[in-house]
Amino acid sequence: MSREGVASARRSSEQLSAIVPRVDDRGWESPSACAGWRVIDVLAHLGALAHEAVDPPTPDPSWPKNRERYHDMRVDERRGRSHAEVIEEWRRFTPRQLEILEAGQQVPQADEPVLVPGLGTYPRHLLANTMAFNVLCHLRYDMLEPSGPLPFTVPPPDDELVAPAVEFMLAGIPQMQGGELTATVSRPLVLEFTGPGATTATVVPADGPDGLLTVEPGAADGAAARIHSTATDFIAWGTTRTAWRDHCRITGEAATAEPFLDCLNIV
């Protein structure tokens, strides 16, 4: 189960909640490190996700199929709202979202497959990790200095905060980009992450022309290359917020790993 994901999501949400009252109007209007979004838009995005978890909208075929464009649509819907209205939506629905994710850890529903449009299919219990990833990433990498504009600090990240976010990112690698990313991997690649959230996994090529990548725990024998990074840096470069070349060290056949790294973009 992903009870650790619930705990991580709750902690990051509490850290964000402590910062929200300290942000003035100028801060909310500042450009975040998420391209095209102000700081208030980042909070609107998190509030929209929470709202949809509690009260799922009826699917509309006109919605963007690309998940990033879908998020942009939801943020655009909220651009005419006041700061207070955006904050209120986030405050109202986040606790209820956490309750739903907690309930999703119970069997038998915990293992039910859930389609997240544009991102793939995940067991219900792992949806907690998506929130852990979203709040941690947007708070620490888009809103707060040094990459974001807000001059506030939060406690340093630890294993319990980072590991669930990284677990979701690894689960998303085979699914989010489909054949585009699959085509870049011809031999196994080991991902070796250190620091808070440390883990090792192997990206395995597709088995057949119509297959997708798989991500297996541990380091497989005979890997063509090993990609070394901290887990916290992976959250930044794996989402293309920063360039992987600024954070990764490759041992083995660099030319085999580089196409994968150039293509990877976790949403």
Side-chain angles (χ1 to χ4, degrees):
M1 298 304 101
S2 303
R3 298 183 192 281
E4 295 85 357
V6 178
S8 175
R10 181 172 286 112
R11 282 179 59 200
S12 284
S13 296
E14 289 170 351
Q15 291 169 356
L16 176 54
S17 183
I19 286 169
V20 164
R22 303 169 65 187
V23 183
D24 59 18
D25 287 342
R26 182 177 179 180
W28 286 124
E29 290 295 320
S30 298
S32 78
C34 188
W37 287 2
R38 303 162 297 168
V39 173
I40 192 64
D41 296 327
V42 176
L43 194 71
H45 164 63
L46 295 175
L49 289 176
H51 196 155
E52 290 189 11
V54 175
D55 186 15
T58 302
D60 186 330
S62 69
W63 289 346
K65 300 297 186 291
N66 179 283
R67 189 68 182 186
E68 289 180 299
R69 301 294 75 78
Y70 175 80
H71 291 324
D72 285 335
M73 179 189 76
R74 288 304 192 205
V75 166
D76 289 344
E77 291 172 349
R78 289 159 170 79
R79 287 188 184 272
R81 298 183 186 180
S82 68
H83 297 165
E85 288 171 326
V86 171
I87 293 167
E88 173 57 26
E89 181 180 40
W90 178 78
R91 286 197 185 282
R92 177 184 176 191
F93 288 99
T94 294
R96 296 167 67 185
Q97 180 185 22
L98 287 165
E99 290 174 359
I100 290 169
L101 294 175
E102 184 80 56
Q105 307 306 307
Q106 307 300 318
V107 293
Q109 63 265 33
D111 291 323
E112 293 174 352
V114 178
L115 173 65
V116 182
L119 296 184
T121 300
Y122 303 87
R124 185 174 298 280
H125 67 84
L126 198 66
L127 298 183
N129 295 53
T130 69
M131 184 181 180
F133 162 75
N134 270 311
V135 184
L136 183 153
C137 184
H138 286 304
L139 173 62
R140 291 176 180 264
Y141 295 88
D142 294 335
M143 301 174 80
L144 299 181
E145 290 182 344
S147 53
L150 299 182
F152 309 119
T153 59
V154 290
D158 55 23
D159 283 331
E160 288 73 21
L161 201 66
V162 177
V166 171
E167 183 180 12
F168 165 68
M169 294 174 73
L170 294 176
I173 285 176
Q175 305 189 71
M176 292 186 189
Q177 294 173 268
E180 176 190 19
L181 189 64
T182 296
T184 68
V185 181
S186 58
R187 295 176 60 191
L189 303 172
V190 172
L191 300 171
E192 188 172 290
F193 301 137
T194 57
T199 192
T200 300
T202 302
V203 180
V204 179
D207 183 12
D210 298 324
L212 295 175
L213 302 173
T214 55
V215 176
E216 300 177 355
D221 294 334
R226 297 175 74 103
I227 300 162
H228 308 265
S229 167
T230 66
T232 50
D233 283 344
F234 173 54
I235 295 172
W237 64 257
T239 58
T240 69
R241 282 168 168 77
T242 58
W244 67 261
R245 286 177 172 82
D246 294 337
H247 302 286
C248 295
R249 178 175 60 90
I250 302 174
T251 55
E253 300 176 13
T256 304
E258 287 171 356
F260 167 78
L261 293 170
D262 286 337
C263 185
L264 183 65
N265 182 18
I266 296 169
V267 179

